[in-house]
């Protein structure tokens, strides 16, 4: 049925069933709710009428009537109209929202839980009607937001914003979620978008923006936002609180006063607001008005269900009680505050940690302060407290953390003397140098900044650290200073400083002991015992000093005297047990350690357990034929070491013992792995190094074993440990290197000459060495004799050991057997000695023969070398004589000779000069060839001969001149070389010109002295054979005193790049030919001259080129100057 929906702003009509009449109700003056409900149920009104009337009752404050109408509408309303589903969903969502609102106000958790469950049920029913309605989704999102289900609320708000991007409730919901997630910038963006969508938003929106600005550090904008919110809504308590906090955080008196006034205004508006109450309580705490703090904080605690607010209220209460000294109530409220606190609110944890320290519970205190340090890692007080707490812990991890905390404090606050002292105290055991540096820094602060005297405790501790480093000279004055300081302070606190004085005296005695002042140390220990009879360390030190002197009974007496003072002292019993072990008394020593383990206080003492394990391990070294017994001892030893590891998983000595048991079982690989892990953990235990080396020996890795032994010797014992020397010798013995084995045994005997084991081993090695030498057929006589002597020495040693040896360390019968073996070897030694003598005699004879042959060979070599030297000397002498003779012959030939005047032909025409033939003439042949014109040439180094040539008319006297250079005949195409341009005369008749013969330089690059002299050795000293000319006259002799070398020899001595005097350019600019090419042509012309059997080519001197008469070297076709003759 379709009915008309008649609704006005004031009146509502309810149609009567089966009639057309209606009932009008005035919304502003509604009747009793029960009456209206009966009308609606009787007339079966449509659902939207029920909703309108119910909401009007809600607006009028009649909540019960509202609830009754909405609850009855679910069953009695008519749904036969269009879009009734929306009204049906609205009814469910409205009821659910009312339940949520009631739950928010409810204090009882059970009631609140029931209300939330009812709201969830209603929203679930609405989901089945219209799940994706925007108003329905907004209601569910706000419900999830109130319950703290941020993820579901965020998803639903996002869905709404996708459908309607400007939905203001969704925008404000997203802003709230992002603010709780600390995304203040994102929250501010959503607040701004909501404000842009509807600028008429209420003041709470601007309040939210103000809190976002404040968290982002924009205090000015935050203040403006809060002020704008108050303008829009003067009763906005959140804005008042925000402004108040900003004013109070300025720290100025006026601003604090304004902030308190704002808080008072907020309190007037809403006296139950927990945020206002907590901030007022905080203000009155600093004013030390603890009663108001308690009143306000309690009121806030009971007025809210918000856990963050309740946590802050409890914290304010706890602070008040803590300041008043009521630690029990403070502890109660601190603890309650931590239960409500958010992860970022760590102040109650700091207070709770202080309460735990007050209760002497450092473990829980550490947890509280660690929580604070995690949230605020740069908090100075927290880091310092944690460093102090962890430094007292026995766990290595905690101590390492304490070290890091204290280093952080000293880095950020370098003047904190307490932090430096605690850092030094925690690093004393692990890093002595760092501890000393920290103590020195603390001393510097005390003396220069605090201006306080050095406490005796610090001086004593520094002295102890210097003693550990071996710097005894620095430790002594510090102990004296500490003792003087104790004497001054003992008057103020007799008991405490007296105990400090005893400690300083004990450390002085220890220093004397380190400095080998044994008597003074002993007197100091006895003095301390006299003053403080219960001081057990003095008894123990006196016993240890006696034990070091090998006065075992005196040492035992001191230990027993100490036990009279403290009968159950574990250290005294342990030292007595060690005395028995040193004497190989395993049974009595075992009982002492068992006594320690029987005491309740030391039932799990690791030292005693390890000692017992070592006793059982020692039994494994004793050979036995009972395998079952040996296996039983191995299991017993292994169980003891495992027990130690169960109590202390980091006990390296127990792990080392397990490795030793595995080695005895033959599991060398597993044992090596165990020892390697222990060595990686620490390199300060020498036993691990030795055990690793033992494993290498068993695995026949002798080189690695020896290296490990030597490294251990250098690192821990400075090369003086006899036992390790014996181990090294054993490794060399097994490796077959007996010489090195003997060397180490001899070195060990020098250190411990009375050790019978070393003597036995040395004798055994010498016996083996002697036996090997005697068996070797290549042994020399000297080696054999030395081996026989060592064999006799070994025999004597074995015989002495067989009578006087230590039965506890080796078998005396074995020494006797080795002595008999030495006797047998000595009985065979005569044969080996005779063989060695025979071999030595043969070798000596062979050496003598070799020496004689060598001397003969050397004598022959000396004779040959002497002959060579004589020949060389004779050759050098003859060469020098020839050179001197040549120099004397050529020195007189270098003279200047005037040149005859040339006659010019009539008519002024230039006549062609006759070309030189290249032949050499004697004085007798000169007249027959007067028509031939001689050219001025550069003198060679040594080949200048003396010849008399006449002028054209035959009247000119003879002159000394070189023979002309031999050239090619005309028509052969040879270009003249070495010519120089002729200077023109004064007239036609041509004045006579003088030719200058240059003196050759003293040394020339083309003068081959050695070859020249050697080539002329076959000639006579005064008469040399002259070469034949072109005319074939071979019988003409050269004048006495002239020296002409052979052409072939001189050619061989010439350089291929010699300078033959290049042709100069004339005025026409003709250039000279290249030197290398001209030289080749000259050699060819000398070899191709007609009928010249012995033509000689004279070498040129590069530094003195000869001038040609006409500059063209006989060539008529040259381009000469017309005026030149």
């Amino acid at each position: 049925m379709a009915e008309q929906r008649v609704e006005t702003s004031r009146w509502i009509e309810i149609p009567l069933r089966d009639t057309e009449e209606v009932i009008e109700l005035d919304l502003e003056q509604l009747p009793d709710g029960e009456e209206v409900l009966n009308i609606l149920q009787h007339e079966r009104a449509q659902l939207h009428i029920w909703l309108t009337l119910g909401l009007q009752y809600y607006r009028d404050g009649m909540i019960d009537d509202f609830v009754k109408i909405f609850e009855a509408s679910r069953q009695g309303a008519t749904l036969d109209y269009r879009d009734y589903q929306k009204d049906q969903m609205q009814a469910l969502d409205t009821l659910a929202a009312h339940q949520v609102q009631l739950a928010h106000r409810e204090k009882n958790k059970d009631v609140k839980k029931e209300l939330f469950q009812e709201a969830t049920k209603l929203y679930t029913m609405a989901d089945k009607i219209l799940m994706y309605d925007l108003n329905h989704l907004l209601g569910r999102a706000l419900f999830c937001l109130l319950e703290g289900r941020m993820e579901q609320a965020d998803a639903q708000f996002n869905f709404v914003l996708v459908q309607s991007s400007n939905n203001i409730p969704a925008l404000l919901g997203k802003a709230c979620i992002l603010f709780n997630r600390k995304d203040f910038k994102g929250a501010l963006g959503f607040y701004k978008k909501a404000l842009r969508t509807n600028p008429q938003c209420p003041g709470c929106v601007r309040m939210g923006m103000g809190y976002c600005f404040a968290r982002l550090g924009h205090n000015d904008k935050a203040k403006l936002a809060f002020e704008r919110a108050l303008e829009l809504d003067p009763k906005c308590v959140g804005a008042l609180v925000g402004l108040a906090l900003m004013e109070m955080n300025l720290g100025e008196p006026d601003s604090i006063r304004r902030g308190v006034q704002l808080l008072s205004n907020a309190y007037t508006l809403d006296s139950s607001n927990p945020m206002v109450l907590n901030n007022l309580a905080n203000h009155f705490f600093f004013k030390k008005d603890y009663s108001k703090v308690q009143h306000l904080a309690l009121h806030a605690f009971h007025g809210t269900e918000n856990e963050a607010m309740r946590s802050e209220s409890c914290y304010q209460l706890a602070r008040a009680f803590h300041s008043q000294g009521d630690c029990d109530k403070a502890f109660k409220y601190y603890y309650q505050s931590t239960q409500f606190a958010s992860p970022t609110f760590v102040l109650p944890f700091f207070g709770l940690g202080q309460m735990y320290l007050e209760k002497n519970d450092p473990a829980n205190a550490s947890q509280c302060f660690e929580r604070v340090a995690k949230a605020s890692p740069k908090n100075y007080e927290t880091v310092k407290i944690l460093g102090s707490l962890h430094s007292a812990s026995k766990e290595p991890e905690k101590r390492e953390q304490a070290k890091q905390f204290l280093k952080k404090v000293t880095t950020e606050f370098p003047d904190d003397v307490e932090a430096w002292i605690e850092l030094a105290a925690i690093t004393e055991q692990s890093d002595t140098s760092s501890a000393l540096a920290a103590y020195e820094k603390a001393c510097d602060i005390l003396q220069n900044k605090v201006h306080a005297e050095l406490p005796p405790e610090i001086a004593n501790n520094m002295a102890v650290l210097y003693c550990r480093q071996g710097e005894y000279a620095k430790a002594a004055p510090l102990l004296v200073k500490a003792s003087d300081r104790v004497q001054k302070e003992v008057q103020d606190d007799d008991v405490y400083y007296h105990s400090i004085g005893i400690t300083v005296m004990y450390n002085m005695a220890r220093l004397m002991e380190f400095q080998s002042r044994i008597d003074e140390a002993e007197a100091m220990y006895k003095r301390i015992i006299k003053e403080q009879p219960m001081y057990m360390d003095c008894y123990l030190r006196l016993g240890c000093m006696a034990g070091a002197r090998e006065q075992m009974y005196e040492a035992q007496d001191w230990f027993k005297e100490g036990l009279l003072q403290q009968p159950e002292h574990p250290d005294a019993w342990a030292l007595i047990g060690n005395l028995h072990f040193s004497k190989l008394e395993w049974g009595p020593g075992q009982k002492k350690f068992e006594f320690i383990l029987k005491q309740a206080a030391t039932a799990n003492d690791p030292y005693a357990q390890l000692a017992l394990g070592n006793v059982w391990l020692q039994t494994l070294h004793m050979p036995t034929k009972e395998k079952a017994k040996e296996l039983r001892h191995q299991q017993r030893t292994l169980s003891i070491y495992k027990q130690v590891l169960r109590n202390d998983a980091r006990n390296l000595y127990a792990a080392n013992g397990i490795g030793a048991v595995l080695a005895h079982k033959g599991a060398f690989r597993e044992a090596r792995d165990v020892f390697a892990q222990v060595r990686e953990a620490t390199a300060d235990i020498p036993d691990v190094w030795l055990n690793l080396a033992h494993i290498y020996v068993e695995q026949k890795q002798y080189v690695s074993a020896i290296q490990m032994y030597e490294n251990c010797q250098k690192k821990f014992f400075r090369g003086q440990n006899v036992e390790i020397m014996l181990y090294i010798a054993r490794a060399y013995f097994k490796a077959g290197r007996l010489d090195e084995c003997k060397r180490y045994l001899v070195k060990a005997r020098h250190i411990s000459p009375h050790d019978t084991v070393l003597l036995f081993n040395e004798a055994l090695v010498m016996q083996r060495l002697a036996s090997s030498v005697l068996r070797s057929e290549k042994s020399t006589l000297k080696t054999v004799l030395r081996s026989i002597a060592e064999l006799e020495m070994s025999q004597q040693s074995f015989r002495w050991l067989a009578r006087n040896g230590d039965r506890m360390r080796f078998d005396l019968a074995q020494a006797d057997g080795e002595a008999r073996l030495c006797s047998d070897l000595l009985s065979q030694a005569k044969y080996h000695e005779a063989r060695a003598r025979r071999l030595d005699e043969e070798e000596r004879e062979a050496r003598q023969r070799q020496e004689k042959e060598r001397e003969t060979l050397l004598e022959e070599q000396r004779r040959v070398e002497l002959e060579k030297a004589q020949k060389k000397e004779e050759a050098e002498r003859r060469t020098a004589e020839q050179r001197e003779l040549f120099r004397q012959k050529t020195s007189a030939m270098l003279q200047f000779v005037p040149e005859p005047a040339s006659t010019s032909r009539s008519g002024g025409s230039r006549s062609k000069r006759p070309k030189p033939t290249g032949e050499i003439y004697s004085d007798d042949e000169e007249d027959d060839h007067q028509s031939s014109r001689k050219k001025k040439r550069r003198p060679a180094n040594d080949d200048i001969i003396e010849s008399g040539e006449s002028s054209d008319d035959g009247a000119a006297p003879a002159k000394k001149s070189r023979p002309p250079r031999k050239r090619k005949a005309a028509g052969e195409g040879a270009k003249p070389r070495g010519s120089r341009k002729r200077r023109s005369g004064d007239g036609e008749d041509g004045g006579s010109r003088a030719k200058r013969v240059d003196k050759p330089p003293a040394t020339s690059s083309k003068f081959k002295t050695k070859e020249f002299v050697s080539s002329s050795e076959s000639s006579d000293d005064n008469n040399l054979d002259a070469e034949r000319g072109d005319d074939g006259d071979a019988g003409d002799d050269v004048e006495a005193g002239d020296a002409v070398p052979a052409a072939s020899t001189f050619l061989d001595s010439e350089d291929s790049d010699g300078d033959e005097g290049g042709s100069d350019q004339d005025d026409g600019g003709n250039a000279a030919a290249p030197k290398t090419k001209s030289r080749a042509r000259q050699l060819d012309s000398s070899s191709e001259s007609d009928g010249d059997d012995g033509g000689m080519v004279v070498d040129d001197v590069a530094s003195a080129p000869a001038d040609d008469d006409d500059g063209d070297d006989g060539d008529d076709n040259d381009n000469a100057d017309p005026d030149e003759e």
Side-chain angles (χ1 to χ4, degrees):
M1 137 180 127
E3 296 184 7
Q4 184 179 2
R5 300 176 60 179
V6 181
E7 297 181 9
T8 63
S9 61
R10 181 173 178 181
W11 298 87
I12 185 171
E13 296 177 352
I14 302 174
L16 297 178
R17 188 170 55 180
D18 300 332
T19 65
E20 293 183 358
E21 297 179 358
V22 296
I23 298 174
E24 291 185 352
L25 295 177
D26 187 358
L27 295 178
E28 294 182 357
Q29 295 180 0
L30 288 174
D32 183 65
E34 289 291 337
E35 183 181 354
V36 173
L37 179 60
N38 291 331
I39 294 172
L40 293 172
Q41 290 176 343
H42 183 267
E43 301 299 336
R44 303 286 296 179
Q46 294 180 354
L47 181 59
H48 66 89
I49 299 175
W50 292 67
L51 298 183
T52 302
L53 290 171
L55 290 175
Q56 186 61 40
Y57 278 111
Y58 182 83
R59 294 188 188 99
D60 293 342
M62 292 180 281
I63 305 300
D64 293 337
D65 294 335
F66 154 75
V67 173
K68 290 177 182 179
I69 292 173
F70 268 76
E71 288 287 347
S73 67
R74 297 166 59 184
Q75 301 295 332
T78 300
L79 302 178
D80 55 349
Y81 62 93
R82 189 176 58 182
D83 297 334
Y84 72 91
Q85 294 91 346
K86 290 186 178 181
D87 293 336
Q88 194 176 13
M89 186 197 65
Q90 182 182 1
L92 294 173
D93 285 347
T94 304
L95 274 176
H98 176 65
Q99 298 294 331
V100 171
Q101 193 173 31
L102 291 177
H104 180 62
R105 297 172 183 172
E106 183 59 44
K107 308 298 181 184
N108 193 319
K109 291 184 178 180
D110 295 333
V111 177
K112 178 180 285 191
K113 185 177 180 180
E114 292 177 359
L115 293 172
F116 277 147
Q117 290 176 354
E118 183 65 23
T120 303
K121 181 180 178 181
L122 293 170
Y123 277 125
T124 303
M125 293 172 63
D127 286 339
K128 297 178 181 179
I129 299 173
L130 287 175
M131 178 179 288
Y132 298 110
D133 184 80
L134 297 184
N135 291 328
H136 170 67
L137 290 175
L138 283 174
R140 291 217 59 152
L142 293 172
F143 175 50
C144 293
L145 185 62
L146 183 61
E147 278 192 312
R149 294 182 291 168
M150 297 292 178
E151 298 297 332
Q152 296 181 18
D154 189 39
Q156 293 177 6
F157 283 134
N158 288 333
F159 183 84
V160 173
L161 289 175
V162 170
Q163 303 299 323
S164 176
S165 60
N166 294 325
N167 190 290
I168 292 178
L171 292 173
L172 297 178
K174 282 288 293 183
C176 183
I177 291 173
L178 292 177
F179 188 89
N180 287 325
R181 291 178 177 175
K182 312 299 181 185
D183 185 4
F184 306 114
K185 189 174 182 179
L188 181 61
F190 279 103
Y191 278 127
K192 288 181 177 180
K193 187 174 182 181
L195 192 60
R196 285 194 296 268
T197 303
N198 183 12
Q200 304 301 323
C201 282
C204 61
V205 176
R206 297 185 181 273
M207 180 192 70
M209 293 178 61
Y211 281 109
C212 290
F213 280 128
R215 290 301 185 95
L216 291 173
H218 306 315
N219 294 328
D220 295 337
K221 293 183 179 181
K223 186 175 181 180
L224 291 174
F226 289 138
E227 290 174 350
R228 177 59 178 164
L230 288 174
E231 290 178 4
L232 296 174
D233 183 8
K235 295 182 179 181
C236 184
V237 176
L240 287 171
V241 173
L243 275 177
L245 292 176
M246 293 183 67
E247 292 289 346
M248 296 175 71
N249 287 336
L250 294 177
E252 299 176 358
D254 294 338
S255 63
I256 293 174
R257 192 177 301 110
R258 289 193 298 269
V260 174
Q261 184 62 41
L262 290 171
L263 286 176
S264 299
N265 296 340
Y267 182 77
T268 303
L269 293 172
D270 187 1
S271 60
S272 62
N273 189 299
M275 188 165 55
V276 176
L277 296 173
N278 284 331
N279 282 288
L280 283 173
N282 184 64
H283 167 68
F284 285 114
F285 173 80
F286 287 106
K287 294 187 69 174
K288 298 183 179 181
D289 192 349
Y290 302 122
S291 60
K292 289 185 178 181
V293 173
Q294 296 173 17
H295 173 75
L296 293 169
L298 281 172
H299 192 190
F301 179 80
H302 293 294
T304 182
E305 289 297 322
N306 186 281
E307 291 187 349
M309 293 294 181
R310 302 189 79 176
S311 174
E312 187 174 356
S313 301
C314 291
Y315 174 69
Q316 298 295 342
L317 285 169
R319 283 205 304 177
F321 288 119
H322 190 180
S323 300
Q324 291 175 330
D326 192 348
C327 294
D328 293 334
K329 289 185 178 180
F331 177 81
K332 173 186 174 182
Y333 283 108
Y334 276 135
Y335 184 80
Q336 195 170 359
S337 178
T338 59
Q339 301 303 308
F340 295 127
S342 64
T344 58
F345 187 53
V346 295
L347 292 177
F349 287 96
F350 191 91
L352 185 60
Q354 291 176 311
M355 294 299 101
Y356 277 123
L357 288 178
E358 183 68 22
K359 293 178 177 292
N360 196 19
D361 188 356
N364 287 322
S366 297
Q367 293 180 3
C368 293
F369 288 115
E370 285 174 356
R371 180 74 175 271
V372 179
K374 185 177 181 180
S376 181
K378 294 184 178 181
N379 185 268
Y380 162 69
E381 291 84 0
T382 305
V383 173
K384 184 177 179 181
I385 292 173
L386 277 175
S388 300
L389 287 174
H390 291 337
S391 63
S393 176
K394 295 182 180 180
E395 299 179 10
E397 295 85 357
K398 297 289 185 181
R399 294 181 66 85
E400 186 62 29
Q401 290 179 7
K403 190 185 301 183
Q404 299 302 324
F405 283 135
L406 292 172
K407 285 182 178 179
K408 186 176 181 180
V409 173
T410 54
T411 301
E412 296 180 358
F413 301 92
D415 292 338
D416 191 337
V417 65
E418 294 179 355
W420 283 110
I421 293 174
E422 290 182 356
L423 179 61
I426 199 173
T427 54
E428 284 177 353
Q429 302 298 328
S430 58
D431 192 350
T432 306
S433 300
S434 299
L436 277 173
Y439 274 130
E440 289 173 356
K441 181 66 176 178
C443 293
D444 180 67
I445 296 172
L446 286 172
Q447 294 174 357
N448 298 329
K449 296 183 179 181
V450 183
H451 302 291
E453 294 186 11
L454 184 65
E457 298 90 343
I458 296 179
N460 177 75
N461 293 346
M462 292 179 67
V464 172
L465 294 177
Y466 278 124
C467 285
R468 287 182 184 176
Q469 289 188 338
E471 301 180 27
Y472 306 126
K474 293 182 179 180
L478 286 171
L479 288 175
V480 173
K481 186 182 295 185
S483 179
D484 296 341
R485 181 67 178 165
V486 166
Q487 296 300 324
K488 294 179 181 179
E489 298 291 342
V490 73
Q491 299 176 358
D492 298 334
D493 191 348
D494 185 22
V495 177
Y496 175 75
Y497 283 102
H498 180 70
S499 62
I500 296 295
I502 294 296
T503 303
V504 173
M505 289 176 62
Y506 176 80
N507 289 331
M508 284 184 175
R510 290 287 290 150
L511 178 60
M512 295 173 186
E513 193 175 343
F514 289 137
Q515 293 175 336
S516 300
R517 296 155 59 186
I518 304 300
D519 296 337
E520 298 179 35
E522 186 173 354
M524 185 71 74
Y525 287 135
K526 291 179 179 179
R527 177 185 169 188
I528 296 173
I529 291 175
K530 186 176 180 180
E531 294 184 11
Q532 192 75 23
M534 298 296 292
Y535 205 92
M536 278 296 297
D537 289 336
C538 293
Y539 294 104
L540 301 182
R541 288 312 309 162
L542 287 170
C544 291
M545 290 168 64
R549 298 193 298 265
E550 296 187 359
Q551 298 174 357
M552 302 301 178
Y553 293 104
E554 183 181 354
Q556 191 169 1
D557 292 340
W558 279 114
F559 296 146
K560 290 180 178 179
E561 189 173 347
L563 289 175
L564 293 177
Q565 306 296 328
Q566 298 183 23
E568 297 180 359
H569 197 279
D571 293 344
W573 284 104
L575 289 171
I576 293 174
N578 289 338
L579 283 179
H580 289 298
F581 287 167
S582 64
K583 295 186 291 183
L584 303 181
E585 299 173 355
W586 306 109
Q590 179 180 352
K591 292 180 180 179
K592 301 300 184 293
F593 289 105
E594 289 176 350
F595 176 81
I596 295 173
L597 294 175
K598 289 178 182 178
Q599 307 302 317
T602 57
N604 293 320
D605 186 77
Y607 186 85
Q609 289 177 336
L610 286 173
L612 284 179
N614 293 338
V615 171
W616 288 105
L617 182 63
Q618 185 64 30
T619 60
L620 301 179
H621 295 290
M622 301 177 182
T624 179
K625 295 182 180 180
E626 300 180 11
K627 297 298 181 182
K629 181 179 179 181
E630 183 179 3
L631 182 61
R632 188 169 61 254
H633 287 181
Q634 290 176 356
Q635 295 299 329
R636 182 67 180 274
T637 307
L638 198 59
S639 64
I640 293 175
Y641 287 135
K642 287 182 178 180
Q643 179 65 30
V644 176
L645 284 178
R646 279 193 291 270
N647 296 331
D648 182 9
R650 295 180 173 275
N651 195 303
L652 300 177
Y653 296 97
N656 182 60
I658 290 175
V661 175
L662 292 175
H664 277 286
K665 286 185 174 183
F668 298 121
R669 181 177 299 177
E670 292 79 0
R672 185 185 63 184
D673 294 341
V674 172
F675 292 140
Q677 292 179 11
V678 176
R679 184 164 172 252
E680 288 178 2
T682 179
D684 297 332
I685 302 179
D687 294 345
V688 181
W689 295 61
L690 295 178
N691 288 334
L692 268 175
H694 295 337
I695 293 296
Y696 287 140
V697 171
E698 295 300 328
Q699 292 179 337
K700 297 184 180 181
Q701 300 178 17
Y702 301 116
V703 176
S704 300
I706 292 169
Q707 185 177 3
M708 185 67 71
Y709 284 133
E710 291 177 346
N711 291 338
C712 181
Q713 181 82 294
K714 294 176 183 178
K715 180 176 178 63
F716 298 103
F717 305 103
R718 299 181 181 179
Q720 300 297 319
N721 188 280
V722 175
E723 185 179 5
I724 297 179
M725 292 182 184
L726 185 59
Y727 292 150
I728 297 174
R730 176 174 172 268
Y732 277 125
F733 185 83
K734 285 183 173 292
R737 300 165 62 179
L738 298 180
D739 291 327
E740 289 85 351
C741 175
K742 176 185 173 184
R743 178 169 60 85
Y744 267 95
L745 289 172
V746 171
K747 184 178 179 180
R749 287 212 63 204
H750 287 163
I751 299 174
S752 180
H754 302 293
D755 193 330
T756 55
V757 174
L758 291 177
L759 180 60
F760 182 92
N761 290 327
E762 184 186 15
L764 181 64
V765 171
M766 288 194 298
Q767 180 204 83
R768 298 292 175 85
L769 277 172
S771 177
S772 63
V773 169
L774 294 177
R775 285 197 301 269
S776 176
E777 296 182 357
K778 297 182 180 180
S779 301
T780 63
L781 177 61
K782 183 178 180 181
T783 307
V784 169
L785 294 177
R786 185 173 65 250
S787 299
I788 293 174
E790 291 180 353
L791 195 58
E792 292 174 350
M793 187 184 302
S794 299
Q795 182 185 22
Q796 294 176 3
S797 299
F798 283 131
R799 287 178 178 175
W800 185 88
L801 290 171
R803 295 191 304 269
N804 305 312
D806 189 354
R807 295 179 180 275
M808 300 298 295
R809 304 189 68 183
F810 59 88
D811 188 7
L812 300 185
Q814 184 180 359
D816 186 52
E818 296 294 340
R820 290 195 298 272
L821 180 59
C822 291
S823 299
D824 295 341
L825 292 174
L826 286 172
S827 64
Q828 302 171 11
K830 295 182 180 179
Y831 164 75
H832 296 294
E833 182 181 357
R835 183 193 63 193
R837 290 186 183 278
R838 184 176 64 256
L839 292 175
D840 184 69
E841 183 66 26
E842 292 175 356
E843 289 179 359
R844 186 166 57 252
E845 291 177 356
R847 283 196 300 271
Q848 290 177 357
R849 288 196 301 270
Q850 292 176 359
E851 187 66 26
K852 289 181 181 179
E853 292 175 358
R854 178 174 175 275
E855 291 179 358
T856 303
L857 181 61
L858 290 176
E859 184 66 26
E860 181 66 20
Q861 290 178 352
R862 284 194 294 269
R863 186 184 62 79
V864 172
E865 290 176 358
L866 182 60
E867 290 178 356
K868 289 182 179 180
Q870 290 176 354
K871 290 180 179 180
K872 183 177 181 181
E873 183 179 355
E874 180 64 23
E876 291 177 353
R877 184 186 60 77
R878 292 178 60 188
T879 301
E881 290 177 356
Q882 293 291 339
R883 186 180 294 115
E884 183 64 25
L885 179 61
F886 176 76
R887 191 160 40 246
Q888 291 175 2
K889 289 181 178 181
T890 58
S891 61
M893 296 180 181
L894 303 178
Q895 299 178 4
F896 286 98
V897 181
E899 189 170 61
S902 61
T903 58
S904 61
R905 298 182 180 183
S906 60
S909 63
R910 296 181 60 185
S911 62
K912 191 174 182 179
R913 292 183 182 178
K915 294 182 179 179
T917 61
E919 296 178 348
I920 301 174
Y921 299 99
S922 64
D923 292 338
D924 297 334
E925 296 170 342
E926 186 178 359
D927 294 336
D928 299 333
H929 301 279
Q930 289 182 0
S931 61
S932 64
R933 189 164 179 160
K934 292 186 279 295
K935 295 174 61 179
K936 181 181 178 182
R937 297 185 58 195
R938 289 180 298 173
N941 289 340
D942 293 319
D943 57 344
I944 300 176
I945 62 173
E946 185 177 351
S947 63
E949 294 184 1
S950 59
S951 62
D952 294 340
D953 54 1
K959 64 178 179 179
K960 291 183 179 180
S961 174
R962 285 190 313 183
R965 179 176 296 175
K966 190 174 184 179
R967 302 182 182 276
K968 281 187 178 182
E972 292 183 6
K975 188 175 182 179
R977 297 182 58 195
S979 63
R980 298 186 67 180
K981 189 174 181 180
R982 190 186 64 175
R983 301 177 186 273
S984 60
D986 294 334
E988 288 282 332
D989 53 352
S992 62
R993 291 183 294 113
K995 242 181 186 180
R996 182 175 61 88
V997 179
D998 295 336
K999 184 178 181 180
T1003 57
S1004 175
S1005 60
K1006 297 185 180 183
F1007 186 77
K1008 306 295 184 179
T1009 304
K1010 185 174 180 180
E1011 294 184 10
F1012 181 83
V1013 173
S1014 61
S1015 64
S1016 60
E1017 285 179 357
S1018 60
S1019 63
D1020 295 335
D1021 293 339
N1022 297 321
N1023 297 319
L1024 298 177
D1025 295 336
E1027 296 183 0
R1028 299 178 184 269
D1030 290 340
D1031 54 358
D1033 293 336
D1036 296 333
D1037 297 331
V1038 182
E1039 290 183 0
D1042 294 343
V1044 180
S1048 60
T1049 303
F1050 204 83
L1051 282 174
D1052 291 340
S1053 64
E1054 286 181 340
D1055 294 335
S1056 62
D1057 57 349
D1059 187 7
E1060 294 296 330
S1063 174
D1064 295 337
Q1065 290 183 354
D1066 57 9
D1067 293 341
N1070 295 330
K1075 292 183 179 182
T1076 55
K1077 191 172 181 181
S1078 300
R1079 180 62 174 167
R1081 289 175 180 174
Q1082 181 178 344
L1083 292 176
D1084 293 341
S1085 64
S1086 64
S1087 61
E1088 294 175 1
S1089 63
D1090 305 347
D1092 189 2
D1093 298 335
M1096 183 180 68
V1097 179
V1098 182
D1099 195 6
D1100 298 331
V1101 179
S1103 60
D1107 291 335
D1108 198 354
D1109 289 340
D1110 56 358
D1112 57 1
D1113 204 9
D1115 191 359
D1116 294 334
N1117 298 324
D1118 58 351
N1119 298 324
D1121 193 345
D1123 298 332
E1124 192 177 32
E1125 293 182 2

